[in-house]
Amino acid sequence: MRTIRITGTGSALPGRIVTNKELEQMVETSDEWIRERTGIGERHVSVGETVVTLASEAARKALEQAGKRAEEIDLILVATSTPENVFPCTACEVQREIHAEHAAGFDLNAACSGFLFALQTAQAYIQAGIYRTVLVIGVDSMSHMVDWSDRSTCILFGDGAGAVVLRESKGGLFVQAAHSDGAKGDVLTGCSRHRKNWDHPDEAKAAYIQMDGQSVFKFAVRRVPEIVEELLEKARIQKEEISYFFLHQANRRIIEAAAKRTGVDISRFPMNLQEYGNTSAASIPILLDEWNKKGLLKKGDKLVLAGFGAGLSWAGSLLEW
Ligand code: COA
């Protein structure tokens, strides 16, 4: 059976770092509160960078590591909920930037779960024999979506991009699961900032992220362990065989609770949210790139990746490195 293997990773972050201390000057909050409730210490915010420049930089690095030229890419899939424009899509703009002339490309939006949905779409194309080499990018500029006067949301998010190059592989492992619950979508919303509220100009404020934090927290803590269990069952392997669980980097307490419910030591749940906050679709590929660059991933390692977010949506993949 055809499956996929990640042959290169890359990431890019804006230069401007906003610390919790700096946020103390903007809203009524404290470094101590943010660290205790979320684990976040700072985040990167775009000043000059765009989702296209960040995604292109991450893509170039991933291609370099994979030893591939841009012309060899068959498909570019970009997971984002914060595109610069509704069209052209970010994937086409990245194609232009990196000169991937032979690639097709499109964007996909499943908010913070987007990278996993894109990875699974890539696997389906490869498995169907349609494409052989796919560039999957998760990128978001959440700083454009948050209301910087709302302390309950602005402390959580950051900007960034992560990319992986996927190749067809004979053998190896790739098991996937994805779910959506649109009926509960109201607990986390963000409206397109391009929308003109012709009839209801007051609704323009809905462009910002609106969130019932506790409901989202409970959703994540319940659904992440469930999907991990589902992946393990599908793959017929034990949790002890998994080297690392790369979860969406939203909140340290969510990851700790998921680790506890899964019955796995927290040391196998890599984290970098202290430095980047929640970078939405970018969080998992950025983390994967960091672990890869640190040389912490060995060929044959079995990894679980799991994301969750607005939709509501949650998705996971179990794959072999
Ligand atoms: N600084 C200081 N106080 C804050 C604050 C901040 N940045 N944000 C909220 N508070 C206050 C609240 O106003 C509330 O005050 P009150 O008791 O006087 O009403 C108090 O802190 C507790 O608020 P609460 O919302 O109950 O806190 P919490 O423990 O649930 O933590 C979140 C809030 C947002 C950190 C937490 O709910 C969370 O992380 N949820 C998941 C969000 C998420 O990950 N979303 C993205 C998913 S992809």
Side-chain angles (χ1 to χ4, degrees):
M1 192 184 77
R2 285 191 189 96
T3 180
I4 56 172
R5 220 176 254 284
I6 294 176
T7 57
T9 62
S11 59
L13 291 143
R16 173 77 159 91
I17 294 172
V18 176
T19 62
N20 291 346
K21 282 276 173 214
E22 202 172 336
L23 289 181
E24 286 178 4
Q25 314 301 315
M26 295 166 62
V27 288
E28 204 181 323
T29 190
S30 67
D31 178 43
E32 192 189 358
W33 192 96
I34 301 170
R35 283 183 194 274
E36 192 188 303
R37 303 284 176 124
T38 72
I40 298 165
E42 56 192 36
R43 70 284 297 141
H44 292 238
V45 166
S46 304
V47 182
E49 299 92 348
T50 68
V51 288
V52 176
T53 62
L54 291 170
S56 301
E57 186 185 335
R60 283 190 200 98
K61 290 176 181 168
L63 284 168
E64 191 184 335
Q65 205 200 39
K68 284 268 157 207
R69 285 175 294 116
E71 309 89 81
E72 295 175 87
I73 299 291
D74 300 317
L75 176 69
I76 302 172
L77 275 175
V78 175
T80 186
S81 51
T82 55
E84 284 297 309
N85 306 299
V86 175
F87 51 80
C89 65
T90 310
C92 286
E93 296 194 90
V94 170
Q95 180 202 24
R96 182 196 62 216
E97 291 298 309
I98 66 172
H99 308 293
E101 282 109 16
H102 304 302
F106 64 92
D107 292 6
L108 175 160
N109 176 2
C112 298
S113 317
F115 178 75
L116 269 307
F117 279 86
L119 200 66
Q120 298 178 1
T121 306
Q123 152 77 0
Y125 271 116
I126 288 173
Q127 200 162 31
I130 298 169
Y131 298 120
R132 297 185 66 182
T133 306
V134 182
L135 176 64
V136 176
I137 303 169
V139 59
D140 269 306
S141 195
M142 300 304 285
S143 62
H144 294 159
M145 285 283 283
V146 295
D147 174 356
W148 287 98
S149 65
D150 174 11
R151 69 177 183 174
S152 67
T153 53
C154 76
I155 57 152
L156 297 172
F157 297 97
D159 302 348
V164 298
V165 176
L166 300 174
R167 284 281 292 157
E168 177 185 348
S169 154
K170 298 256 159 33
L173 189 65
F174 190 91
V175 171
Q176 62 192 51
H179 301 279
S180 303
D181 184 1
K184 300 209 177 72
D186 283 353
V187 301
L188 179 52
T189 60
C191 168
S192 167
R193 66 201 134 93
H194 303 285
R195 191 153 126 195
K196 292 252 185 304
N197 290 295
W198 187 263
D199 296 333
H200 305 284
D202 288 349
E203 285 178 13
K205 66 178 176 358
Y208 296 127
I209 291 174
Q210 316 264 317
M211 183 180 68
D212 170 352
Q214 289 193 5
S215 295
V216 175
F217 192 96
K218 284 184 198 144
F219 145 73
V221 165
R222 182 173 153 221
R223 294 305 193 181
V224 172
E226 273 179 15
I227 206 160
V228 169
E229 205 55 52
E230 187 181 345
L231 292 168
L232 292 170
E233 268 177 33
K234 277 188 176 173
R236 294 208 182 90
I237 67 170
Q238 304 295 311
K239 60 189 177 209
E240 290 73 21
E241 295 174 57
I242 303 295
S243 303
Y244 291 112
F245 297 78
F246 288 93
L247 302 194
H248 170 48
Q249 301 288 293
N251 182 315
R252 179 174 43 78
R253 289 191 297 141
I254 292 176
I255 296 173
E256 284 170 353
K260 201 167 166 197
R261 283 199 188 188
T262 309
V264 173
D265 191 77
I266 190 71
S267 61
R268 279 156 62 203
F269 286 71
M271 275 188 248
N272 62 7
L273 57 85
Q274 54 281 8
E275 285 173 73
Y276 308 131
N278 177 349
T279 55
S280 192
S283 88
I284 292 174
I286 292 174
L287 186 62
L288 203 56
D289 183 47
E290 272 193 19
W291 249 243
N292 187 18
K293 294 255 163 62
K294 286 180 186 164
L296 295 171
L297 302 176
K298 297 186 299 296
K299 192 166 190 318
D301 272 355
K302 294 182 180 66
L303 311 176
V304 164
L305 319 182
F308 58 87
L312 295 172
S313 63
W314 61 108
S317 298
L318 193 161
L319 53 94
E320 209 170 307
W321 190 252

